[in-house]
Amino acid sequence: MAIELKEEAFEFKKSRLLDVASELFFRHGFARTTLDDIAAELSVTKPFIYQFVENKADLLSQVCLRTTALAAEHARIALDQDDRPTVRLAHFVRSLVHEIIAGRMYLAVYFREEKHLPEPGRKKLAEDHRHFNHALRSLLDEGKQQGEFVFDDSVVAMQAITGATTWIFNWYRPEERLGADEVARQFEDFVLRAVGARPVD
């Protein structure tokens, strides 16, 4: 029990570090943000930060990898679930949209600051993308083989779904009239229609 609590505390602190780092990278840019700035925002000393990352570039990698790793995991879960492809795709789209909305600042930092990523971070990002694409394409192919989906090419369908959902980070604003649940619902409907699937009851 004590070990579990210690692990939870570690993850909470790390999550807080990534949240603050992403906000400062977003506001000021990676190059103009120092670890001292991040430590000051957290009201801690730099040694606290070094418990979780090796340096500022490693911190950027972890910020950029957070949403891509979770997206790849959602796609893998959708592929492995024991349900028909339409239901799995619907659940996947909803969960992905919620993940992108929650992590939109992380994605904004990723797209702006990718050029500063060290090589290990680039490799891990590429690996996440491969896992995501493989899982989503496999799910689309399975649905087409079972007669639930209708489209010409699974790569085109996969890229269309990925592009449409990913770009939410750039336009979604929580203060506007549509909340995250409604955006996720509409995207689920949009994607299912795009692949020729019937709505999930």
Side-chain angles (χ1 to χ4, degrees):
M1 185 65 175
I3 293 175
E4 289 179 4
L5 289 174
K6 189 173 182 180
E7 290 175 351
E8 287 178 10
F10 180 87
E11 289 303 321
F12 175 81
K13 291 174 183 177
K14 181 177 179 180
S15 180
R16 177 67 180 144
L17 168 62
L18 295 182
D19 285 345
V20 169
S22 68
E23 185 176 345
L24 293 183
F25 290 156
F26 178 79
R27 270 198 269 147
H28 307 300
F30 173 77
R32 288 179 295 184
T33 301
T34 67
L35 290 182
D36 286 317
D37 295 331
I38 295 167
E41 190 74 15
L42 286 165
S43 299
V44 299
T45 60
K46 272 203 298 189
F48 171 87
I49 294 175
Y50 289 128
Q51 295 177 68
F52 307 97
V53 296
E54 294 179 4
N55 49 46
K56 192 173 77 162
D58 182 34
L59 181 55
L60 176 65
S61 292
Q62 295 199 38
V63 166
C64 293
L65 287 165
R66 186 169 187 173
T67 302
T68 59
L70 289 170
E73 179 65 8
H74 282 303
R76 185 195 63 76
I77 290 171
L79 180 62
D80 293 343
Q81 282 176 335
D82 185 19
D83 212 329
R84 60 192 182 92
T86 298
V87 172
R88 283 184 278 153
L89 182 60
H91 290 171
F92 164 70
V93 171
R94 282 208 183 209
S95 65
L96 180 63
V97 169
H98 277 289
E99 198 66 61
I100 288 170
I101 288 174
R104 59 191 180 278
M105 192 173 294
Y106 286 82
L107 278 172
V109 170
Y110 163 49
F111 281 108
R112 290 180 184 180
E113 308 291 353
E114 184 183 8
K115 60 184 177 292
H116 294 295
L117 282 172
E119 191 58 28
R122 291 177 184 276
K123 288 182 178 178
K124 183 63 172 64
L125 276 168
E127 182 182 333
D128 286 343
H129 284 307
R130 283 195 300 273
H131 290 162
F132 178 91
N133 290 343
H134 170 75
L136 179 54
R137 186 180 179 187
S138 297
L139 177 57
L140 291 169
D141 284 335
E142 182 182 344
K144 185 174 182 180
Q145 289 165 7
Q146 294 186 18
E148 293 188 27
F149 302 158
V150 179
F151 53 79
D152 291 331
D153 186 272
S154 59
V155 172
V156 174
M158 175 195 71
Q159 295 290 3
I161 293 169
T162 302
T165 52
T166 300
W167 203 243
I168 294 170
F169 89 89
N170 197 49
W171 58 260
Y172 178 81
R173 299 292 181 273
E175 67 275 8
E176 294 182 358
R177 61 189 179 85
L178 294 180
D181 288 340
E182 179 59 18
V183 172
R185 185 198 66 76
Q186 290 196 31
F187 261 86
E188 175 192 323
D189 182 66
F190 173 78
V191 169
L192 292 184
R193 289 176 186 273
V195 299
R198 301 182 65 178
V200 175
D201 297 327

